[in-house]
Amino acid sequence: MAVERTLSIIKPDATCRDLTGRINARFEESGLHIVAQKRIRMTLGVAEKFYEVHRRRSFFDDLCAFMASGPVVVQVLEGEDAIARNREIMGATNPDNAEEKTIRRDFGESIEANSVHGSDSLETAAREIAFFFSDIEIVG
Ligand code: CMP
């Protein structure tokens, strides 16, 4: 296993319910270090650019509007096998299908308002981290 970095986003449904601390505890208790973090409000344009890969999907417009609807916490998580590890901790995209004790199962409200986003591959992680952070903002 290699030490990796992954991009995580705590979504508006979670920040609005003050779940940031409880979600961060899940990461830290699982051995993922938060090496960069900021709370921002995405514009619609920023959300559309971030989710560009989903542009042709039926849920694209709703997804982008939701991500721009309130504050989000964007963060870089670092640790052994961080990309797969974070996906385990998050659980399946649809909270109804997520395993017990995962973030989406415990906190997610719907497939859209599913509390967290995490990168799905090394390539995606590199792109998504660079989308929000410069090297100087990531402190391992
Ligand atoms: P996320 O990991 O942020 O990546 C894309 C998001 O689209 C996904 O989580 C879901 O919140 C959202 N989404 C909304 N509807 C769907 C759907 N039908 N299938 C997959 N993702 C969806």
Side-chain angles (χ1 to χ4, degrees), residues 3 19 29 46-47 53-54 73 85 89-90 96 99 105 113:
V3 173
L19 293 171
E29 284 159 7
V46 167
V53 66
H54 295 305
V73 175
R85 185 87 197 93
I89 298 164
M90 289 192 300
D96 289 342
E99 303 252 344
R105 174 68 171 262

Side-chain angles (χ1 to χ4, degrees), residues 121-138:
S121 70
L122 267 177
E123 295 72 28
T124 308
R127 181 184 74 76
E128 292 184 348
I129 290 169
F131 188 90
F132 287 113
F133 293 97
S134 61
D135 286 347
I136 199 173
E137 295 176 298
I138 305 171

Side-chain angles (χ1 to χ4, degrees), residues 8-15 17 19 23 27 66-67 72-73 75 90 93 95 103-118:
S8 166
I9 304 178
I10 303 179
K11 297 187 179 187
D13 66 284
T15 60
R17 286 178 287 151
L19 293 171
I23 290 174
F27 297 139
F66 170 66
M67 292 300 285
V72 298
V73 175
Q75 47 195 188
M90 289 192 300
T93 305
I103 292 170
R104 286 167 167 165
R105 174 68 171 262
D106 288 347
F107 302 128
E109 298 179 311
S110 68
I111 194 166
E112 179 178 277
N114 63 354
S115 299
V116 280
H117 164 82

Side-chain angles (χ1 to χ4, degrees), residues 14-140:
T15 60
C16 291
R17 286 178 287 151
D18 286 328
L19 293 171
T20 300
R22 289 170 70 185
I23 290 174
N24 279 347
R26 301 279 180 111
F27 297 139
E28 293 184 334
E29 284 159 7
S30 304
L32 292 178
H33 307 288
I34 301 166
V35 295
Q37 176 166 262
K38 55 192 171 191
R39 181 176 162 105
I40 61 168
R41 174 86 181 246
M42 287 194 216
T43 62
L44 189 58
V46 167
E48 287 174 350
K49 201 166 167 202
F50 181 77
Y51 279 116
E52 179 66 37
V53 66
H54 295 305
R55 186 169 285 279
R56 291 203 173 78
R57 309 288 291 273
S58 58
F59 57 81
F60 179 76
D61 287 346
D62 285 346
L63 169 65
C64 294
F66 170 66
M67 292 300 285
S69 71
V72 298
V73 175
V74 292
Q75 47 195 188
V76 180
L77 308 179
E78 182 181 84
E80 291 279 335
D81 221 7
I83 294 165
R85 185 87 197 93
N86 185 37
R87 293 177 73 77
E88 277 174 27
I89 298 164
M90 289 192 300
T93 305
N94 186 339
D96 289 342
N97 301 332
E99 303 252 344
E100 282 187 24
K101 298 190 178 157
T102 59
I103 292 170
R104 286 167 167 165
R105 174 68 171 262
D106 288 347
F107 302 128
E109 298 179 311
S110 68
I111 194 166
E112 179 178 277
N114 63 354
S115 299
V116 280
H117 164 82
S119 307
D120 63 6
S121 70
L122 267 177
E123 295 72 28
T124 308
R127 181 184 74 76
E128 292 184 348
I129 290 169
F131 188 90
F132 287 113
F133 293 97
S134 61
D135 286 347
I136 199 173
E137 295 176 298
I138 305 171
V139 185

